[in-house]
Amino acid sequence: METQFVTDATGTPVRVVMDYQDYVKIAEQLNLPLTAASTVQERNPLDWYSLTESANSILNGLVALASRERRNELNKPIPDQDRIKELESLRDEGINVSRDTETFSSLEKMEQVIGKYSPILLAEKKKLQI
């Protein structure tokens, strides 16, 4: 592995990527500790697929639940207009997020989607059970 310099937008080096053995040699010469400040664990290649499926499932579930409950509310003799607007907003948000290509551009973004919308979906399901 060759040494690589990671730069910011202005071209200033912000990080160096090098072989561990090269790092050990430099650390020994400079009497630096050999403990890492942080360690990045390699992700499982299947994480991409499982996170994509999970995020898609949650967003589709959110859209389906909001659409179904909106229809049920509209079928009531006296529909709750605030609830209808809330459900429409939730449905539209789910559709927009699922159609946004940025949503599925990285593992971290998919984890954020799952972290944000999974509790909302669960909370909406619990409302229906009461």
Side-chain angles (χ1 to χ4, degrees), residues 69 73 80-87 124 127:
E69 290 309 307
E73 190 65 38
D80 180 351
Q81 295 302 318
D82 291 335
R83 178 73 175 146
I84 292 171
K85 287 178 185 175
E86 176 187 342
L87 292 166
E124 284 298 319
K127 280 183 188 178

Side-chain angles (χ1 to χ4, degrees), residues 7 10-11 18 22-23 32 43 49 51 53 56 70 79 108 113 117 124 126 128:
T7 59
T10 64
M18 68 173 61
D22 293 340
Y23 171 75
L32 296 174
R43 303 283 304 247
Y49 301 105
L51 288 174
E53 290 300 318
N56 256 329
R70 177 184 171 275
E108 292 77 18
V113 165
Y117 293 103
E124 284 298 319
K126 283 185 180 180
L128 300 174

Side-chain angles (χ1 to χ4, degrees), residues 21-58:
Q21 295 304 321
D22 293 340
Y23 171 75
V24 169
K25 290 176 188 174
I26 293 169
E28 287 174 350
Q29 290 174 357
L30 299 175
N31 293 323
L32 296 174
L34 290 176
T35 56
S38 66
T39 303
V40 178
Q41 293 183 343
E42 189 172 328
R43 303 283 304 247
N44 182 331
L46 297 177
D47 284 353
W48 185 272
Y49 301 105
S50 62
L51 288 174
T52 301
E53 290 300 318
S54 295
N56 256 329
S57 178
I58 289 167

Side-chain angles (χ1 to χ4, degrees), residues 69-120:
E69 290 309 307
R70 177 184 171 275
R71 184 192 69 234
N72 290 344
E73 190 65 38
L74 285 170
N75 288 335
K76 290 181 179 178
I78 303 173
D80 180 351
Q81 295 302 318
D82 291 335
R83 178 73 175 146
I84 292 171
K85 287 178 185 175
E86 176 187 342
L87 292 166
E88 287 173 348
S89 174
L90 189 59
R91 179 199 62 204
D92 293 345
E93 185 176 350
I95 290 170
N96 291 335
V97 172
S98 68
R99 289 182 178 170
D100 185 359
T101 56
E102 282 297 307
T103 299
F104 302 99
S105 65
S106 73
L107 298 174
E108 292 77 18
K109 289 182 181 178
M110 288 186 279
E111 287 171 337
Q112 290 172 355
V113 165
I114 292 167
K116 179 178 181 181
Y117 293 103
S118 179
I120 295 172

Side-chain angles (χ1 to χ4, degrees), residues 4 7 9 12 43 57 59 61-63 67 73 77 93 107-108 121 125:
Q4 299 174 345
T7 59
T12 305
R43 303 283 304 247
S57 178
L59 292 171
L62 196 64
V63 170
S67 298
E73 190 65 38
E93 185 176 350
L107 298 174
E108 292 77 18
L121 181 58
K125 284 183 174 182

